[in-house]
Amino acid sequence: MSSNLDDAASLAAQLLARRWLPRNHPLMKRALIDAELWAELGRRLEGVGLRVVDNVYADQVAVALLRPAESAVFGEVGLNANNNLELPRDGVSLLVVLWSLIVLPKRQRQISRTDAAGDDQGEMFAKDKPVPAAASVSPSLSYRSLLADFGDQLGKKLRIDANLKLLERHGFIQRRGEDIAEGPLLDLLLDYDQLAPRILDGALADVLARATDPLAAPALAEIQAARQEPEEPSED
């Protein structure tokens, strides 16, 4: 048996060892445009109960358990828990708040093809531009603003600090001094299509409206204002 790994095996091994790979990793970059390599990577991972997690709005590609494998790994108790990372409830709440303050504005900029400053909003051909990389449009949050806006709801400074460390360890966020930035798994392991409507149309929208972060707050207000605008009647 050869000791050399083929490309699909190499990618699978690296994903298992590192948990995620950047989209611009040489082999991953090729797999994203090579349908045969991508399919083979999926087959290799499926053989051990895993699947590739990818979306065009994230800068990384990760792995997650297939549904049938979840019960085998976590058992019924794990599946009935509010999460399988053993995050405390206030840690899950903090994760959802951070996802809302970081991913919602980022995704809006990516969909509209605008930069972080919103300079391209008036361009006629903005939608023909490539989707901006997450790193170029993902806002960093002020830790002080987070503490001031949501400290009472999320357990105050001691609990928030402890939960931020957990979320950073799991790859959801990165700490940059006094700022909190998107981690490699934040926009991969939380389902945007399910979570965004529940947040924007639910009770959490009122909570997020209190945000004073200089980058996230205006972006969230703009998103909500756009959602409340009446749709123009279609022409016959």
Side-chain angles (χ1 to χ4, degrees), residues 40-219:
E40 183 60 25
L41 172 63
R43 282 192 291 270
R44 299 291 178 91
L45 291 170
E46 185 179 3
V48 291
L50 296 170
R51 61 184 174 89
V52 185
V53 183
D54 168 54
N55 74 58
V56 71
Y57 300 104
D59 287 347
Q60 289 80 22
V61 177
V63 290
L65 285 170
L66 289 167
R67 286 294 182 188
E70 289 181 355
S71 58
V73 174
F74 298 114
E76 291 301 318
V77 174
L79 289 178
N80 292 329
N82 65 335
N83 69 92
N84 52 38
L85 295 175
E86 298 184 353
L87 294 174
R89 288 188 179 274
D90 55 359
V92 175
S93 299
L94 175 60
L95 175 59
V96 172
V97 168
L98 293 174
W99 184 90
S100 304
L101 295 174
I102 294 174
V103 173
L104 287 176
K106 182 196 77 166
R107 186 68 63 90
Q108 182 69 16
R109 291 168 183 160
Q110 290 175 310
I111 291 172
S112 61
R113 310 297 202 270
T114 58
D115 62 20
D119 293 336
D120 301 326
Q121 282 183 323
E123 288 191 10
M124 182 178 299
F125 302 108
K127 292 188 180 298
D128 296 326
K129 299 170 64 177
V131 174
S136 68
V137 292
S138 184
S140 293
L141 300 180
S142 161
Y143 167 75
R144 295 182 183 276
S145 294
L146 177 72
L147 202 60
D149 297 337
F150 304 104
D152 290 341
Q153 291 81 16
L154 297 175
K156 300 192 182 297
K157 187 178 187 303
L158 188 62
R159 289 298 303 166
I160 288 179
D161 287 348
N163 285 323
L164 285 174
K165 288 181 180 178
L166 281 175
L167 296 180
E168 185 173 24
R169 187 184 311 153
H170 284 301
F172 289 112
I173 63 167
Q174 300 177 63
R175 299 295 300 272
R176 297 172 179 167
E178 285 290 297
D179 291 332
I180 302 165
E182 178 182 357
L185 298 183
L186 188 64
D187 199 9
L188 286 174
L189 297 191
L190 281 77
D191 190 322
Y192 180 92
D193 291 335
Q194 289 191 23
L195 197 54
R198 293 180 183 180
I199 290 172
L200 294 171
D201 299 329
L204 190 56
D206 295 331
V207 176
L208 293 174
R210 299 200 301 264
T212 61
D213 185 90
L215 294 178

